[in-house]
Amino acid sequence: MVCLDRSLVGRQDMPRLPDGYTIRAQRDHADVAGRASAHRAAFGSTRITTERHARMRETWPYRPELDLIAVSPDSDVVAYCQGWYDEVNGVGAFEPVGTHPGHRRLGLARAVCTAVMHAFSDAGGHRAIVYSRGDAGYPVPKRLYESMGFTACTRTHTYVGRPAA
């Protein structure tokens, strides 16, 4: 994993969304269900259910204005960026970020991440961070964040020992 960060000084312009797409905070149960469904599709995982996402929204330090969704012209939640903000240090973190496979390569992840960075800045933040796989086997997220001005600030390495003889 690699931790990437960037300054929030000098607001980044919002990318233009494809026609009919919007970015907003979740408003109701349908949005919560759509956000959970988009996560399952983005990551091929069944872990995030509507109920689990709803419970997470009730825990501290969750802030709904930092959990933004991209909505398609058909009113489906198709991308999202959940932000977590540390008021003491003025740092916001993205976790998780995802885009439904059928809506990738439209600039939605960039747009929703940029919107969350604006929200961090509006809350008084001065830095944003995101953790991403940093290996060649999964390069797309890291390339996205780097194209948005993020740079690597630290990295984790996993060492695997040889089995005992």
Side-chain angles (χ1 to χ4, degrees):
M1 297 292 289
V2 63
C3 180
L4 301 120
D5 79 333
R6 67 158 282 164
S7 172
L8 294 175
V9 176
R11 204 173 253 221
Q12 188 173 25
D13 290 337
M14 279 297 296
R16 184 173 162 349
L17 290 170
D19 289 342
Y21 287 83
T22 58
I23 293 176
R24 62 178 168 76
Q26 298 164 64
R27 296 191 287 225
D28 54 27
H29 181 75
D31 285 348
V32 173
R35 162 59 171 77
S37 177
H39 182 92
R40 290 189 302 271
F43 290 97
S45 168
T46 59
R47 287 186 31 208
I48 303 300
T49 63
T50 300
E51 296 74 24
R52 185 172 180 180
H53 185 59
R55 279 193 312 273
M56 184 278 311
R57 290 170 46 92
E58 296 172 359
T59 63
W60 180 88
Y62 179 83
R63 292 172 59 169
E65 70 273 17
L66 301 177
D67 189 7
L68 302 182
I69 55 176
V71 180
S72 75
D74 295 328
S75 300
D76 296 324
V77 177
V78 294
Y80 59 90
C81 176
Q82 185 168 337
W84 299 94
Y85 181 61
D86 175 352
E87 293 174 353
V88 173
N89 295 299
V91 177
F94 298 160
E95 173 57 31
V97 175
T99 304
H100 188 287
H103 296 266
R104 290 184 179 151
R105 303 196 55 81
L106 299 175
L108 299 174
R110 174 185 301 280
V112 77
C113 287
T114 301
V116 171
M117 284 194 297
H118 285 198
F120 288 156
S121 182
D122 292 345
H126 59 88
R127 292 210 76 68
I129 64 170
V130 62
Y131 287 87
S132 177
R133 273 182 52 182
D135 60 282
Y138 197 70
V140 174
K142 182 174 178 270
R143 282 197 307 240
L144 166 68
Y145 302 130
E146 288 172 338
S147 77
M148 296 174 65
F150 285 83
T151 58
C153 60
T154 190
R155 176 177 204 100
T156 60
H157 296 276
T158 302
Y159 295 96
V160 179
R162 287 189 270 190

